[in-house]
Amino acid sequence: MPGVENWAEKPLNIIQNIIDHLPSGSNEISGVKDYFSKKLQGEEALEWIPSINSRALHQVAADSVVRYRCMVQDMFDPELYLARFKVTSRKNGESAFRSGRYRDVASCAPDEEIHMDDPGNVTCERQTLYCVPVPGEATWVKDLYTKQSRIPSTPSTSSSPACRKRARDDETGDGDVHRGSNGSECAASNGHAGPRGGAAGTGGNPAPSGIAGGGGGASQLPDLNFPLPGEQGTACLVKVYEEDNGLKVNDVIEVVGILSVDPSMADFTNDQNEQDVTMTAAERAAHTPPPSLVPRLHAVLIRKLAHNNPLLPHNLSAKHQAIETIRSEAATLRTQLLSVLEHALCGDGLAAEFLLCHLVSNVYSWADVMPLGKLAVNLSGPVTQGMAPLLQQLIAGLSTQSHLLPISLNKMNSLCLSPHKDYEANRLRSGQLQLSPGTHLVLDETALENGQLQPQGVKNVTALGNVIQWQKVTYDFNFHTQDFITDLPVLVLSEGESFLPKDLHLPLRPTSVPEDLQTHYAGMSAQMTEEVLNKLRAFITVCRSTQYAVNEDIQKALQEEFVTARKDDPSAMSVNDFHRLLSLVRLLTLSHCQAECTPQILNRVLEMERERRSRTHAPPAAPAN
Amino acid sequence: MDVAEQAVKTNQVKDQVGERCLKLFQDFLEEFRVDGDAKYLTLVQELVRPERNTLTVSFKDLETFNQQLCTTVLEEYYRVYPYLCRAVRNYARDWGQIPASKEFYISFTEVPSQLKVRELTTAKIGTLLRITGQVVRTHPVHPELVSGTFLCLDCRTVIKDVEQQFKYTQPTICRNPVCNNRARFMLDVNKSRFVDFQKVRIQETQAELPRGSIPRSVEVVLRAEAVETAQAGDKCDFIGTLIVVPDVGSISTGGASAESSSRVNGARDGYESEGVRGLKALGVRDLTYRMAFLACTVTPTSARAFGGGELRDEELTAEMIKKRMTDEEWQTVYDMSQDKNLYHNLCSSLFPTIHGNDEVKRGILLMLFGGVPKVTTEGTHLRGDINVCVVGDPSTAKSQLLKQVEEFSPRAVYTSGKASTAAGLTAAVVRDEESYEFVIEAGALMLADNGVCCIDEFDKMDPKDQVAIHEAMEQQTISITKAGVKATLNARTSILAAANPVGGRYDRSRSLKQNLSMSAPIMSRFDLFFVLVDECNEVTDYAIARRIVDLHSRLEKSVERVYSVDDISRYILFARQFRPRINKEAQEYMIEEYKHLRQRDCTGAGKSSWRITVRQLESMIRLSESMARMHCQEEVQPKHVKEAFRLLNKSIIRVEQPDIHLEEEGQEEAEQQMEVDQDTPQRESQPVNGEREEGGASPTSQPKRSLKLSYEEYRQLGNLLVLHMRKKEEDNADESDSGLRKSDLIGWYLKEIEGEIESEQELLEKKTVVEKVVDRLIHVDNVFIELKQAGLQPQRKHGEETLTRDEDPILVVHPNFVVDA
């Protein structure tokens, strides 16, 4: 595909060209955007663009068009850049204006001179977003995205810095614009191979380990600020040119942009005794990390991802083959999924049904301060001991993002779950609750032991409670706090009833208690072929995003239910109970992949609730056999 | 200001605009007069003192003096700034003995154009602006080189007055024409001039932050007298201009081309360095810059009130607020103040998703408006903040109420009693892990200074910890004496607490105090108490169900508001500027009501009852003021007191005995009762005479009479009857007929309270009440003894009568009964 080659690998030339030919006064950014969105129409076109999620940085040419799927972790202050600057050739004295958009360093040939203060220069603003790979993203999501890429993945043979340099020079050296790579090479070889060597080494792995703690130059490496510990991937500084982009922190976005890894951006001031007044060392490390570790990405197109499921098209409301198939097979898939969950919960069918409702839950609307549509489930019972990691693995295999958080006293007292602002480095230090919407949070309360909760622990427990009850995470800005809304379905596993708030508590009644949970869960994987799993994964995502409505009759019936239940005993149905009931009705409808509630579903919900109530009120019974 | 080479050039281009401004500004300083006095003369003369160097000029004065000059300064502030400073210097030299080398600076106040941090864009560079931000970081003060004197190391020539800006600039070439030295110079520190220089970083205030965004920050450069005026944590107004500093790395190039222009400044970087950066000389350049704000004036503030801003700002006047509003906003505020239904509309707009509970909503609304804080002649502060406590059954939307308030007012903090210790609420002394210094960590109450602190699950707090907030609730300060740190911190906050009753459900046969695990002193510090009871009633249940179903099924836009949240917060801010005074009638009315309360309190079963104290009177004043504020009135009128009294009455805390149910058997009527006291069972505990007044005050919620009396009330009535009987018995001691007929007794009582009865219906009600009381005294408490025909009546002739009038027995007081009033 020669056409693709052209704009995908030498986008800056094209952009220069577009901008040169635009009528004066027109919006340069939208002109470039139009060009690229035309080129990238249709889902397939995107698949021809290399993604830096799955490819190591050295496998991607610098200044080429790449894709990046990520979560906005922090928003830096806007920066100014020269959108247009003048260069004069020393040879013949000719001068011309160049565009400074979509690049970090000005380009000019060695015999050219840049006029930084020419009156014709234009300064503009752009915003920098600090993005990290989607936290808690399941491996199957990553794998599938990688598989979908049309770019043949070249085996990473070259991991030494020298090879890497050479490769890039070959690609760019014969371009008509002379970039500063000649200079950068010598910079790299001039005694700065230390930290770079480490970086390149990690970059050589198929999955570049961003955290790279084990590397030789660990102390030199900047903290990549991933919300979850042990996460891997490339963090990226995404430069956004559009104003009012509507992006919010924690949004999951896909960026198509121009990769910029020019080593001259790396900061070398550490070695010198230079006192820089504008930034502290910590700030520099946070805001200008070496581009080899945290590349810059100049965004051309950005789209918010409504879901992160590679099995389904971007727009779920549109008619699509894959969605139709799922809908037609909904009944079978549901049964299949239920049986899997039932097995996982040691044969408790009711719990499986509630868990299914939980899996398809999301916050679909806010009634003032009240999140609607969430269902935080607390499963309790002796059998939950050790079940959380296994259950989380199962959920990770089914849904796109999930995270297991054991609530142990030690962890609660030492961790900082909520993000907080670090004014030293002027960045938002992430916490484990800074997750993208739709991330399943599995809390393992069985890990808790007796002891004293320190102030930090109290804060963390409060934070968890806030997430469960209000779907809000409080970010600490030191001088004040700020609530950010979130959408995290929370599942709490505990021995007795959890001390955290919950929407629904259900003591587990396993029909059989397996000797070893591990083997019990392993027994499941036999029937879970990749094909089956993919269907179930798509099913859950489709269910989640189904539009839901309640017709008049059902509404009447629901009201009736509320009033009659309260007639005899007001405590039989509180307002909260009613909220839960309505949520359940919605979720059970969704779990059938249906858009409208039917009387059967309503009855089933009432039945489930009755059964659940009888369990919570009855003393914990000994498990059968 | 110029870079070095310009200083060397002989034919330096003069900035005509600048020169003109210099002249005009000097004229302004000389000629501007207020009441015939040259206003700035005295100010300039003060600058003679060695520690002073900055002249503060009100921009308004400049505006009145010369509109054109004012516009030039506003638009080209950065360009003309050095000339303005020179004008000050010239002027000062004319009037005082000023050392020749002394530099002067100017700082403007009262600059009109206010911007948000987010609105600082390239277009604003160089213009005079005002921004508000929270100081998050301060750097130490450094001396900044303003003008350097250099010594050429080759020929020892002295090069004077090399002007510096942000960046260390050496002369480009030695002045000595025969010396070609371009690099080897030495700075003569003693002959160079320095100015204090400090960098602080400010951050977008919470009120300006768009939803879902991370606050932005701006570096602020302070000079001369402005240094050390801002502390981390302060909210300050900064007046100055936006400037551009190149990003790190790009500054010290090898001199291949000229550095940034004089208007786009280089950062104050250290000595130039070669080395790796040499690669930049090869034609690679960073294209990024950073913006900084060069401030000349710093004033602490909590202003910039709109867009969900602060709820209060004591320094503002209503006029100022009005000025800050757009015409449209002002119109809305005006319309709101004229709204006849304002009270109700505000309530329903504030809590659109919460059904019913109107009294609570009203109470919270009044809390938001607040009373007027006062300082007595002795210097004691009387708080104006109203504290509200909501007690209720689980799932009666208590938390939602609190959350809503938190959402609504930005300076509100929501915290849960379960998860907070006293330290978490007030302030704690913590040892900093890095510096090992003790620092004070602000708790929720401090964070909510000038706002509302919502404490959920108040009862779950350790009583010890509850005590810790006593001080905050009454004195509005927090004192810390711990680990050698002694401090008194402001916590001017209203407290909105929610508590669950003891045992989970509100037991209506018990008193409020018994229902709450809260100490009496804490309870007395709440102005209003509300009780939410999860009542079962088909009609309301339907309504509630309907509402919730609608919410969930998105059939209609379920959040309906008469006024938007922004409108309300703007209105509240505006209304809070009023400081209503209590007028004469209102005063009298208030005294009257208080007397009633007191009397009722004293004549009741005194020893166990809650004393109505001055605290309640203060509450009444605060609530009345708040009512007046809500209507934007300067005067507290009796109608405001009426509503305040009504609310207070609904919530006055009394340690009651269980209510006396006068007809346990009357199932039907009991149900009626339930309907009445949806949210406030206290209503039933109204004394009879209080009830009457209340009825007049709240035509909307005319309570149905119920046959239930508070224990106190019952005692009072009983005692009254007993006393009367005793008196009668004494009077008739010699007569054999020592008893009194029941009907006579009732008749006497009704006659006694005749003055208080207005309608026939009321009379009948009272009659039933007193009958029931007498019955109870006879059958349950055995205070009265019925003398019937079979009894010990000595007079047979009356016996027959007794037989025939079985319903009207003769009563005598039990001889052992002691009146314990």
Side-chain angles (χ1 to χ4, degrees), chain A residues 276-277 283 368 458 481 566, chain B residues 201 206 248 404 419 535-536:
Chain A
D276 183 3
V277 191
E283 217 183 326
D368 260 354
V458 177
T481 56
R566 286 175 61 87
Chain B
R201 179 180 290 135
Q206 211 176 357
V248 259
Q404 198 96 42
E535 283 298 350
C536 180

Side-chain angles (χ1 to χ4, degrees), chain A residues 77 80-81 104-106 126 269 276-277 283 364 368 423 458 472 481 555 559-560 566-567 574 579, chain B residues 122 199 201 203 206 217 248 285 287-289 395 404 407 419 535-536 538 541-542 546 552 555:
Chain A
D77 295 332
L80 292 186
Y81 67 101
D104 285 297
V105 268
R126 63 185 170 204
T269 39
D276 183 3
V277 191
E283 217 183 326
Y364 66 93
D368 260 354
Y423 286 106
V458 177
K472 277 186 181 162
T481 56
Q555 285 186 33
Q559 283 173 56
E560 210 58 54
R566 286 175 61 87
K567 232 178 203 163
S574 69
H579 274 297
Chain B
T122 42
K199 244 168 24 103
R201 179 180 290 135
Q203 183 177 279
Q206 211 176 357
S217 57
V248 259
R285 252 165 213 265
L287 289 175
T288 52
Y289 296 86
S395 78
Q404 198 96 42
E407 190 83 358
E535 283 298 350
C536 180
E538 223 171 293
D541 280 355
Y542 262 116
R546 176 82 241 158
H552 279 259
L555 276 190

Side-chain angles (χ1 to χ4, degrees), chain B residues 769-782:
Chain B
V769 169
V770 72
E771 273 170 2
K772 298 282 177 194
V773 169
V774 173
D775 280 351
R776 198 183 151 97
L777 284 170
I778 295 167
H779 301 296
V780 183
D781 294 355
N782 297 324

Side-chain angles (χ1 to χ4, degrees), chain A residues 330-387:
Chain A
T332 6
L333 288 174
R334 189 173 185 276
T335 336
Q336 222 165 355
L337 186 53
L338 267 183
S339 75
V340 169
L341 296 177
E342 198 174 319
H343 184 88
L345 297 170
C346 307
D348 189 335
L350 182 68
E353 202 134 1
F354 277 118
L355 188 58
L356 176 60
C357 288
H358 169 74
L359 284 179
V360 298
S361 70
N362 68 327
V363 178
Y364 66 93
S365 172
W366 291 80
D368 260 354
V369 289
M370 224 179 32
L372 296 177
K374 56 146 191 150
L375 187 74
V377 175
N378 171 214
L379 296 176
S380 68
V383 75
T384 55
Q385 193 75 46
M387 190 191 258

Side-chain angles (χ1 to χ4, degrees), chain B residues 480-537:
Chain B
I480 302 173
T481 18
K482 222 187 237 174
V485 182
K486 203 169 176 184
T488 305
L489 306 157
N490 277 334
R492 291 157 297 182
T493 164
S494 304
I495 289 176
L496 174 60
N500 285 320
V502 175
R505 284 196 170 267
Y506 196 87
D507 184 350
R508 301 180 53 193
S509 67
R510 301 168 63 172
S511 71
L512 177 66
K513 185 162 179 6
Q514 285 168 315
N515 268 300
L516 265 180
S517 63
M518 222 186 261
S519 70
I522 279 276
M523 281 178 85
S524 77
R525 279 168 172 87
F526 281 104
D527 297 81
L528 291 174
F529 260 88
F530 292 104
V531 178
L532 302 183
V533 179
D534 188 16
E535 283 298 350
C536 180
N537 173 287

Side-chain angles (χ1 to χ4, degrees), chain A residues 130 318 436 465:
Chain A
Y130 187 84
S436 62

Side-chain angles (χ1 to χ4, degrees), chain B residues 158-443:
Chain B
V158 175
I159 306 148
K160 277 190 194 160
D161 293 336
V162 181
E163 287 206 49
Q164 314 274 325
Q165 181 78 339
F166 292 110
K167 174 183 174 234
Y168 176 71
T169 318
Q170 285 194 343
T172 35
I173 188 164
C174 180
R175 259 194 334 170
N176 185 349
V178 292
C179 173
N180 280 327
N181 176 20
R182 279 171 186 274
R184 291 176 302 282
F185 296 99
M186 194 183 76
L187 178 71
D188 187 344
V189 179
N190 290 330
K191 286 179 183 147
S192 301
R193 277 174 293 149
F194 293 88
V195 65
D196 285 339
F197 168 94
Q198 187 187 24
K199 244 168 24 103
V200 300
R201 179 180 290 135
I202 61 165
Q203 183 177 279
E204 211 169 358
T205 58
Q206 211 176 357
E208 290 174 0
L209 185 68
R211 210 158 258 247
S213 296
I214 300 290
R216 286 196 185 161
S217 57
V218 176
E219 212 74 51
V220 176
V221 175
L222 302 175
R223 282 211 183 117
E225 284 183 18
V227 300
E228 293 285 19
T229 44
Q231 299 296 322
D234 290 353
K235 230 183 242 178
C236 292
D237 260 359
F238 295 87
I239 294 169
T241 186
L242 198 62
I243 54 170
V244 176
V245 288
D247 212 340
V248 259
S250 61
I251 321 154
S252 23
T253 50
S257 63
E259 197 30 63
S260 50
S261 77
S262 58
R263 292 299 114 192
V264 179
N265 292 283
R268 205 181 99 98
D269 206 355
Y271 297 86
E272 290 186 10
S273 58
E274 294 299 318
V276 274
R277 284 195 180 163
L279 76 103
K280 298 258 157 65
L282 293 169
V284 183
R285 252 165 213 265
D286 267 355
L287 289 175
T288 52
Y289 296 86
R290 285 156 63 86
M291 281 191 283
F293 194 82
L294 180 66
C296 61
T297 315
V298 183
T299 43
T301 180
S302 47
R304 180 84 204 182
F306 297 127
E310 304 271 309
L311 272 181
R312 75 181 80 179
D313 190 342
E314 306 297 353
E315 281 103 63
L316 290 174
T317 62
E319 260 318 289
M320 283 164 72
I321 303 230
K322 187 183 163 185
K323 259 190 207 157
R324 287 203 197 165
M325 281 189 249
T326 63
D327 288 347
E328 213 174 300
E329 287 169 345
W330 169 244
Q331 191 57 41
T332 334
V333 168
Y334 181 78
D335 289 347
M336 281 169 88
S337 69
Q338 299 298 312
D339 187 349
K340 286 217 166 55
N341 245 335
L342 183 69
Y343 198 22
H344 177 255
N345 283 346
L346 282 179
C347 281
S348 57
S349 307
L350 262 189
F351 306 101
T353 50
I354 298 167
H355 180 85
N357 296 333
D358 290 328
E359 297 300 340
V360 189
K361 291 180 188 171
R362 285 187 193 131
I364 291 174
L365 186 69
L366 289 188
M367 182 190 79
L368 290 174
F369 281 100
V372 183
K374 301 169 197 81
V375 183
T376 62
T377 42
E378 297 94 47
T380 319
H381 289 264
L382 294 179
R383 72 179 155 102
D385 296 283
I386 296 168
N387 298 326
V388 179
C389 183
V390 183
V391 189
D393 293 350
S395 78
T396 41
K398 288 189 305 296
S399 304
Q400 218 186 321
L401 275 169
L402 265 60
K403 259 295 187 219
Q404 198 96 42
V405 171
E406 188 213 8
E407 190 83 358
F408 168 75
S409 73
R411 202 70 203 253
V413 175
Y414 176 94
T415 158
S416 173
K418 213 197 260 175
S420 31
T421 57
L425 269 174
T426 56
V429 180
V430 208
R431 194 189 279 274
D432 191 86
E433 276 173 25
E434 279 153 27
S435 63
Y436 292 101
E437 285 168 358
F438 283 110
V439 288
I440 293 173
E441 204 165 78

